[in-house]
Amino acid sequence: MRFIGGASIPNMSGWRLNATWPLGVLTMEDGRLHLRVRALGPLAKLFGIRPLECAAQEIAEVFPCRGMFGTSGVGFRTEDTRHFYFLTGRIQDVLEVCRQQGFAVSDEKQRVRFGR
Protein backbone atom coordinates (compact mmCIF):
# COMPACT_ATOMS: atom_id res chain seq x y z
CA MET A 1 0.00 0.00 0.00
CA ARG A 2 1.30 3.46 -0.87
CA PHE A 3 0.11 6.86 0.38
CA ILE A 4 1.19 10.35 -0.70
CA GLY A 5 1.06 13.29 1.74
CA GLY A 6 3.36 15.39 3.87
CA ALA A 7 6.06 14.17 6.24
CA SER A 8 7.97 15.30 9.31
CA ILE A 9 11.18 13.36 9.91
CA PRO A 10 13.73 14.00 12.69
CA ASN A 11 17.43 14.13 11.95
CA MET A 12 20.17 12.90 14.26
CA SER A 13 20.70 16.38 15.80
CA GLY A 14 17.11 16.83 16.93
CA TRP A 15 15.72 19.22 14.33
CA ARG A 16 13.10 18.08 11.82
CA LEU A 17 12.65 18.02 8.09
CA ASN A 18 9.08 19.03 7.27
CA ALA A 19 7.76 18.42 3.77
CA THR A 20 4.31 19.27 2.45
CA TRP A 21 2.11 17.28 0.10
CA PRO A 22 3.06 15.63 -2.27
CA LEU A 23 6.62 15.16 -1.01
CA GLY A 24 5.91 12.64 1.77
CA VAL A 25 5.66 8.99 0.72
CA LEU A 26 4.47 6.23 3.04
CA THR A 27 4.60 2.62 1.86
CA MET A 28 3.68 -0.51 3.79
CA GLU A 29 4.19 -4.06 2.62
CA ASP A 30 4.77 -7.44 4.28
CA GLY A 31 4.81 -5.95 7.79
CA ARG A 32 7.38 -3.28 6.89
CA LEU A 33 6.90 0.47 6.82
CA HIS A 34 8.87 3.04 4.83
CA LEU A 35 8.35 6.82 5.30
CA ARG A 36 10.49 9.14 3.23
CA VAL A 37 10.63 12.56 1.63
CA ARG A 38 10.69 12.37 -2.13
CA ALA A 39 13.39 14.13 -4.18
CA LEU A 40 15.68 14.75 -1.23
CA GLY A 41 18.55 12.70 -2.66
CA PRO A 42 22.08 13.31 -1.36
CA LEU A 43 20.94 16.24 0.82
CA ALA A 44 19.35 13.77 3.23
CA LYS A 45 22.66 12.17 4.10
CA LEU A 46 24.37 15.56 4.37
CA PHE A 47 21.84 16.74 6.99
CA GLY A 48 21.63 13.42 8.85
CA ILE A 49 18.09 12.67 7.72
CA ARG A 50 17.21 9.02 7.38
CA PRO A 51 13.85 7.74 6.24
CA LEU A 52 11.86 5.59 8.63
CA GLU A 53 12.33 1.99 7.53
CA CYS A 54 11.27 -0.69 9.98
CA ALA A 55 9.24 -3.78 10.76
CA ALA A 56 6.07 -3.74 12.86
CA GLN A 57 7.88 -4.89 16.01
CA GLU A 58 10.28 -1.90 15.80
CA ILE A 59 7.44 0.63 16.13
CA ALA A 60 6.20 1.18 19.69
CA GLU A 61 3.00 2.94 18.61
CA VAL A 62 1.10 4.22 15.58
CA PHE A 63 -1.46 6.92 16.38
CA PRO A 64 -3.60 9.68 14.85
CA CYS A 65 -2.09 13.12 15.43
CA ARG A 66 -2.92 16.80 15.23
CA GLY A 67 -0.38 19.49 14.40
CA MET A 68 -0.30 23.24 14.06
CA PHE A 69 -2.67 25.13 11.76
CA GLY A 70 -5.17 22.28 11.67
CA THR A 71 -2.85 19.73 10.10
CA SER A 72 -3.55 16.10 10.88
CA GLY A 73 -2.02 12.77 10.13
CA VAL A 74 -0.51 9.63 11.59
CA GLY A 75 2.38 9.48 14.05
CA PHE A 76 4.93 6.71 14.44
CA ARG A 77 6.86 6.41 17.72
CA THR A 78 9.89 4.18 17.45
CA GLU A 79 11.32 2.04 20.24
CA ASP A 80 14.07 4.66 20.72
CA THR A 81 11.30 7.30 21.23
CA ARG A 82 11.79 9.22 17.98
CA HIS A 83 8.58 10.54 16.42
CA PHE A 84 7.89 10.50 12.68
CA TYR A 85 4.73 11.99 11.17
CA PHE A 86 2.87 11.38 7.94
CA LEU A 87 0.40 14.19 7.20
CA THR A 88 -2.70 13.07 5.36
CA GLY A 89 -6.45 13.37 5.20
CA ARG A 90 -6.67 9.56 4.95
CA ILE A 91 -5.89 8.90 8.61
CA GLN A 92 -8.31 6.01 9.08
CA ASP A 93 -7.10 4.31 5.88
CA VAL A 94 -3.47 4.50 7.05
CA LEU A 95 -4.35 3.26 10.56
CA GLU A 96 -6.32 0.34 9.13
CA VAL A 97 -3.47 -0.74 6.85
CA CYS A 98 -1.08 -0.47 9.82
CA ARG A 99 -3.37 -2.75 11.85
CA GLN A 100 -3.53 -5.24 8.99
CA GLN A 101 0.27 -5.21 8.73
CA GLY A 102 0.67 -6.02 12.46
CA PHE A 103 1.61 -2.59 13.88
CA ALA A 104 0.51 -1.57 17.40
CA VAL A 105 -2.16 1.06 16.66
CA SER A 106 -3.74 3.43 19.18
CA ASP A 107 -6.91 5.37 18.38
CA GLU A 108 -6.01 8.11 20.89
CA LYS A 109 -5.22 11.35 19.06
CA GLN A 110 -1.96 12.99 20.14
CA ARG A 111 -0.34 16.37 19.49
CA VAL A 112 2.63 16.58 17.17
CA ARG A 113 5.88 16.79 19.12
CA PHE A 114 8.53 19.10 17.74
CA GLY A 115 11.57 17.52 19.41
CA ARG A 116 13.05 14.18 18.48
Side-chain angles (χ1 to χ4, degrees):
M1 183 63 73
R2 181 173 183 229
F3 297 94
I4 304 298
S8 180
I9 299 176
N11 81 344
M12 302 313 285
S13 299
W15 61 272
R16 304 187 74 77
L17 169 68
N18 296 307
T20 60
W21 182 92
L23 299 177
V25 179
L26 174 67
T27 55
M28 287 177 279
E29 185 175 25
D30 299 328
R32 292 202 57 83
L33 177 142
H34 184 93
L35 176 61
R36 67 182 178 88
V37 173
R38 180 188 329 228
L40 196 55
L43 288 177
K45 192 177 232 180
L46 177 68
F47 291 108
I49 298 165
R50 294 190 185 112
L52 176 61
E53 297 181 54
C54 58
Q57 59 271 21
E58 298 172 80
I59 296 287
E61 181 181 31
V62 178
F63 54 90
C65 63
R66 186 99 165 132
M68 293 176 56
F69 310 114
T71 58
S72 59
V74 177
F76 304 92
R77 182 173 53 85
T78 62
E79 289 294 335
D80 63 357
T81 69
R82 291 182 301 149
H83 288 79
F84 294 77
Y85 300 102
F86 178 67
L87 306 174
T88 181
R90 298 180 60 191
I91 296 168
Q92 292 307 316
D93 294 338
V94 172
L95 293 176
E96 184 57 35
V97 171
C98 286
R99 277 190 187 93
Q100 292 170 0
Q101 295 287 321
F103 290 85
V105 176
S106 167
D107 290 319
E108 184 180 333
K109 190 175 280 189
Q110 299 179 30
R111 301 263 321 141
V112 169
R113 295 171 44 132
F114 292 103
R116 280 176 48 96

